[in-house]
Amino acid sequence: MSSTGSKVRCAIIGGGPAGLTAALELSRAGVEPIVFEMDRQVGGISRTVDYKGYRFDIGGHRFFTKVDRVHNWWMDILSEEFLVRPRLSRIYYQGKFFDYPLKPMNALLNVGFFESVLVGLSYVKAQAFPSREEKNLEQWVTNRFGKRLFEMFFKTYTEKVWGMKCTEIGADWAAQRIKNLNLGKAALSMLAPKLLTGKNQITTLIEEFYYPRLGPGQMWERVTDMLEERGHPVHLEHWVKTIHRDGERVTGITVVDVNGKEERFDADHVISTMPVRELLNAMDPPPPAASLEAANRLRYRDFLTVGLVVESTELFPDNWIYIHSPDVKVGRIQNFGNWSPYMIPDKSTSCIGLEYFVQEGDELWTASDEELIELGKKETARLGLIDADKVIDGVVIRVPKAYPVYDHGYKENIDSIREYVDQIPNLHLIGRNGQHRYNNQDHSMVTAMYAAENILGANHDVWDVNVEEEYHEEAGAKKSHGASGERLVPQRVQDASPIELLNDVFAKYDPVALGGAIGVMIGFAVFLTTAILLVQGGENVGETLALLGNYFPGYDISWAGSLVGSFWGGAFGFVIGFVTAVAINVTVSIHLGKLLRRLGVLEGSLG
Ligand SMILES: Cc1cc2nc3c(=O)[nH]c(=O)nc-3n(C[C@H](O)[C@H](O)[C@H](O)COP(=O)(O)OP(=O)(O)OC[C@H]3O[C@@H](n4cnc5c(N)ncnc54)[C@H](O)[C@@H]3O)c2cc1C
């Protein structure tokens, strides 16, 4: 088939959010888009699966964006179909629900007094005796929050999502992802919540979100209908096998339909949202070996959902729950009726989605659907979330390449790929896997809008769409500290440079942390000693200890005095700890400076 008349024709690979956005934008501008989607339905990872009338997502898809143009685009297309949904998502750990984002009072009540004391002691221990080395996630988190909090709220879920031990994940990921969480702030927010959480647009996004009545797929099904009305039907079940190139231009593509029939389409432009690794392998003639090898080094994390239909309407009120319990493999559980009641055809039932983070070809990925449904039933029943006997149906959806992985070297790989594709101006790489970017729908759509405008003569850099941090999860999060467009995913621990090693060995003490830790210990010791004496009772109880009143105004051997004493003890300990840390830091800095000068290393390179 050849290009039609004088109209510019653009072949689009993929009918996900990016491909369909590009198609509609081009069609509105008078360019002829022709979309090929290998799946049976549109929407890509943002599709909504329909199983016997039950609709569910590949992971719940909230519609939130800071990009006005995208927000307006969504509203223009589905305005009256959008629901504003309240958000509830909690962490499930050891049979208890913890608010997410974590709230200190709720966490304290859940873990109980005894465990809270242990958490406090493990925090104090970590502050007083931090790990000197801080190379991996476990060391980084434990140094800041203590071992017990690390095990409760960081270890299991992170390991489930990324399939790596926390000791294998580099500390820099934690440093950038968890930097806004701090126990001091958390304690203050418990005492004075209003002080720290002004109600702004971001907190609003945390509490509620937009969601199409029939799931995210409704958006992409509607766009497909609009394209069809405009004379540009989306070609489903058409796999793009080859992209043809002639010198510095692509000339067309070859597609294969479900019957195995191949057809070639000529095009003036090609927009690709297919995984960039596969794109380079589909180029004819092939790219230079260096770029092809770089593409083949890109890695992905895969995902599967077990959907269960349950004969009950009262399961849990959350949209989704993070499962931190280490004794089950499931990572997250969605309750689709809480996203939108219109997703459930039979109102006497519920539909939940159990999410497993997997690797294509691993034990879970290759298990049969029946085995996975049984596993899902068993695990949710073990967690006490459903009664397994009430599960009346189930279905499994496998999603390859759900997450592009940013491992060490991925940036160099992308650079090498770009050296090749940048030489082909009418080939446009956009979208999540199309650019190997950890994008949400909105940023995938922006790359599509830019590519469409470039075809019309603009000069946007589609690789420079900035992906901010997860502002929807943490109020007050700042712009990404990584490269433009980078949303961090974990990287493996690497060997440190000599300077990093020296900095590790001579790591500085945090004066506030050490002061806080010693303050808590002394304050607690004064309280405990006074309390023991009071409980023992008797005449002239605690005469010697009462002498502390000479130094701690208001202290005596009484319950009120125990509180006053713990306050003064805390303050005294804080000063001791603070001064000690500063003194150690100064001494160590002087010695380290001397050492580096002797080794001929510049002082300026110290971190
Ligand atoms: C668990 C999870 C939860 C998420 N939650 C949210 C959320 O809450 N909000 C949000 O906005 N985003 C969310 N996202 C991200 C969102 O799913 C993606 O950003 C979005 O789908 C990317 O769109 P895309 O078009 O770039 O790529 P995709 O959605 O991957 O679409 C690419 C399409 O190309 C097709 N294709 C690939 N190769 C070929 C080929 N050779 N020939 C023909 N067709 C091909 C694929 O079948 C697919 O349909 C989530 C993602 C995951 C994994």
Side-chain angles (χ1 to χ4, degrees), residues 546-580:
L547 293 175
L548 265 185
N550 294 328
Y551 304 97
F552 294 172
Y555 175 74
D556 58 12
I557 307 296
S558 67
W559 287 110
S562 72
L563 294 179
V564 174
S566 60
F567 168 76
W568 284 117
F572 175 69
F574 181 83
V575 173
I576 299 266
F578 191 93
V579 171
T580 308

Coordinates of all heavy atoms in Angstrom, one line a residue, residues 546-580:
A546 N 17.0 13.2 94.3 CA 16.3 14.5 94.4 C 17.3 15.6 94.3 O 16.9 16.7 94.0 CB 15.5 14.5 95.7
L547 N 18.6 15.3 94.6 CA 19.6 16.4 94.5 C 19.7 16.9 93.0 O 20.2 18.0 92.8 CB 21.0 15.8 94.9 CG 21.1 15.5 96.4 CD1 22.5 14.9 96.6 CD2 20.9 16.7 97.2
L548 N 19.2 16.1 92.1 CA 19.2 16.6 90.7 C 18.4 17.9 90.6 O 18.7 18.7 89.6 CB 18.5 15.6 89.8 CG 19.4 14.6 89.0 CD1 18.5 13.7 88.1 CD2 20.4 15.3 88.2
G549 N 17.5 18.1 91.5 CA 16.7 19.4 91.5 C 17.6 20.6 91.6 O 17.2 21.7 91.1
N550 N 18.8 20.5 92.1 CA 19.8 21.6 92.1 C 20.1 22.0 90.7 O 20.5 23.2 90.5 CB 21.0 21.2 92.9 CG 20.7 21.0 94.3 OD1 19.8 21.6 94.9 ND2 21.5 20.1 95.0
Y551 N 20.1 21.1 89.8 CA 20.5 21.4 88.4 C 19.3 21.5 87.4 O 19.3 22.2 86.4 CB 21.5 20.3 87.9 CG 22.7 20.1 88.8 CD1 22.7 19.1 89.7 CD2 23.8 21.0 88.7 CE1 23.8 19.0 90.6 CE2 24.8 20.8 89.5 CZ 24.8 19.8 90.5 OH 25.9 19.7 91.3
F552 N 18.3 20.7 87.7 CA 17.1 20.7 86.9 C 16.0 21.4 87.6 O 15.2 20.8 88.4 CB 16.6 19.2 86.6 CG 17.6 18.4 85.8 CD1 17.4 17.0 85.6 CD2 18.7 19.0 85.2 CE1 18.2 16.3 84.8 CE2 19.6 18.2 84.4 CZ 19.3 16.8 84.2
P553 N 15.7 22.7 87.4 CA 14.7 23.4 88.1 C 13.4 22.7 88.1 O 12.9 22.3 87.0 CB 14.7 24.8 87.4 CG 16.0 24.9 86.7 CD 16.4 23.5 86.4
G554 N 12.7 22.6 89.2 CA 11.4 22.0 89.2 C 11.4 20.5 89.4 O 10.3 19.9 89.6
Y555 N 12.6 19.9 89.4 CA 12.6 18.4 89.6 C 12.5 18.0 91.0 O 13.1 18.6 91.9 CB 13.9 17.9 88.9 CG 14.0 16.4 89.2 CD1 13.2 15.5 88.4 CD2 14.9 15.8 90.1 CE1 13.3 14.1 88.6 CE2 14.9 14.5 90.4 CZ 14.1 13.6 89.6 OH 14.2 12.3 89.8
D556 N 11.6 17.0 91.3 CA 11.6 16.3 92.6 C 11.1 14.9 92.4 O 10.8 14.5 91.3 CB 10.8 17.1 93.6 CG 9.3 17.3 93.1 OD1 9.0 16.6 92.2 OD2 8.6 18.1 93.7
I557 N 11.1 14.1 93.5 CA 10.6 12.7 93.3 C 9.1 12.7 93.4 O 8.5 12.4 94.5 CB 11.3 11.8 94.4 CG1 12.8 12.0 94.4 CG2 10.9 10.4 94.1 CD1 13.5 11.6 93.1
S558 N 8.5 13.0 92.3 CA 7.0 12.9 92.2 C 6.7 12.6 90.7 O 7.6 12.7 89.8 CB 6.4 14.3 92.6 OG 6.7 15.2 91.6
W559 N 5.4 12.3 90.4 CA 5.1 12.0 89.0 C 5.3 13.2 88.1 O 5.9 13.2 87.0 CB 3.7 11.5 88.8 CG 3.6 10.0 89.4 CD1 3.0 9.6 90.5 CD2 4.2 8.9 88.8 NE1 3.1 8.3 90.7 CE2 3.9 7.8 89.6 CE3 5.0 8.7 87.7 CZ2 4.3 6.5 89.4 CZ3 5.5 7.4 87.4 CH2 5.1 6.3 88.3
A560 N 4.9 14.4 88.7 CA 5.1 15.6 87.9 C 6.6 15.9 87.7 O 7.1 16.2 86.6 CB 4.5 16.8 88.6
G561 N 7.4 15.6 88.8 CA 8.8 15.8 88.8 C 9.5 14.9 87.8 O 10.5 15.3 87.1
S562 N 8.9 13.7 87.6 CA 9.5 12.8 86.6 C 9.5 13.3 85.2 O 10.4 13.2 84.4 CB 8.9 11.4 86.7 OG 7.6 11.5 86.1
L563 N 8.4 14.0 84.9 CA 8.2 14.6 83.6 C 9.2 15.8 83.4 O 9.8 16.0 82.4 CB 6.8 15.1 83.3 CG 5.8 13.9 83.3 CD1 4.3 14.4 83.1 CD2 6.1 12.9 82.1
V564 N 9.2 16.7 84.5 CA 10.1 17.8 84.4 C 11.5 17.3 84.3 O 12.3 17.8 83.4 CB 10.0 18.7 85.7 CG1 11.0 19.8 85.7 CG2 8.6 19.2 85.8
G565 N 11.9 16.2 85.0 CA 13.2 15.7 85.0 C 13.6 15.1 83.6 O 14.7 15.3 83.1
S566 N 12.6 14.5 83.0 CA 12.9 13.9 81.7 C 13.1 15.0 80.7 O 13.9 14.9 79.8 CB 11.8 12.9 81.2 OG 10.6 13.5 81.1
F567 N 12.3 16.1 80.8 CA 12.5 17.2 79.9 C 14.0 17.8 80.1 O 14.7 17.9 79.1 CB 11.5 18.4 80.2 CG 11.9 19.6 79.5 CD1 11.6 19.8 78.1 CD2 12.5 20.7 80.2 CE1 12.0 21.0 77.5 CE2 12.9 21.9 79.5 CZ 12.6 22.0 78.2
W568 N 14.4 18.0 81.3 CA 15.7 18.6 81.5 C 16.8 17.6 81.1 O 17.8 17.9 80.5 CB 15.9 19.0 83.0 CG 15.2 20.3 83.3 CD1 14.2 20.5 84.2 CD2 15.5 21.6 82.8 NE1 13.8 21.8 84.2 CE2 14.6 22.5 83.4 CE3 16.4 22.0 81.8 CZ2 14.6 23.8 83.0 CZ3 16.4 23.4 81.5 CH2 15.5 24.3 82.1
G569 N 16.5 16.3 81.4 CA 17.5 15.2 81.1 C 17.7 15.2 79.5 O 18.8 15.1 79.0
G570 N 16.5 15.4 78.9 CA 16.6 15.3 77.4 C 17.4 16.5 76.9 O 18.2 16.4 76.0
A571 N 17.1 17.7 77.5 CA 17.8 18.9 77.0 C 19.3 18.8 77.2 O 20.2 19.1 76.4 CB 17.3 20.1 77.7
F572 N 19.6 18.3 78.4 CA 21.0 18.1 78.8 C 21.7 17.1 77.9 O 22.8 17.4 77.3 CB 21.1 17.6 80.3 CG 22.4 17.2 80.8 CD1 23.4 18.2 81.0 CD2 22.8 15.9 81.0 CE1 24.6 17.9 81.5 CE2 24.0 15.6 81.5 CZ 25.0 16.6 81.7
G573 N 21.1 16.0 77.6 CA 21.6 15.0 76.7 C 21.8 15.5 75.3 O 22.8 15.2 74.6
F574 N 20.8 16.3 74.9 CA 20.9 16.9 73.5 C 22.2 17.7 73.4 O 22.9 17.6 72.4 CB 19.7 17.7 73.2 CG 19.7 18.3 71.8 CD1 19.3 17.6 70.8 CD2 20.2 19.6 71.6 CE1 19.3 18.1 69.5 CE2 20.2 20.1 70.3 CZ 19.8 19.3 69.2
V575 N 22.4 18.6 74.4 CA 23.6 19.5 74.3 C 24.9 18.6 74.3 O 25.8 18.8 73.5 CB 23.6 20.5 75.5 CG1 24.9 21.3 75.6 CG2 22.4 21.4 75.4
I576 N 24.9 17.6 75.2 CA 26.1 16.8 75.3 C 26.3 16.1 73.9 O 27.4 16.1 73.3 CB 25.9 15.6 76.3 CG1 25.7 16.2 77.7 CG2 27.0 14.6 76.2 CD1 26.9 16.3 78.5
G577 N 25.3 15.5 73.3 CA 25.4 14.8 72.1 C 25.8 15.8 70.9 O 26.7 15.5 70.1
F578 N 25.2 16.9 70.9 CA 25.5 17.9 69.8 C 26.9 18.3 69.9 O 27.6 18.3 68.9 CB 24.5 19.1 70.0 CG 24.5 20.0 68.9 CD1 23.6 19.9 67.9 CD2 25.4 21.1 68.8 CE1 23.5 20.8 66.8 CE2 25.4 21.9 67.7 CZ 24.5 21.8 66.7
V579 N 27.4 18.7 71.1 CA 28.7 19.2 71.2 C 29.7 18.1 70.9 O 30.7 18.3 70.2 CB 29.0 19.8 72.7 CG1 30.4 20.1 72.9 CG2 28.1 21.0 72.9
T580 N 29.4 16.9 71.4 CA 30.3 15.8 71.1 C 30.5 15.5 69.6 O 31.6 15.4 69.0 CB 29.8 14.4 71.7 OG1 29.5 14.7 73.1 CG2 30.8 13.3 71.6

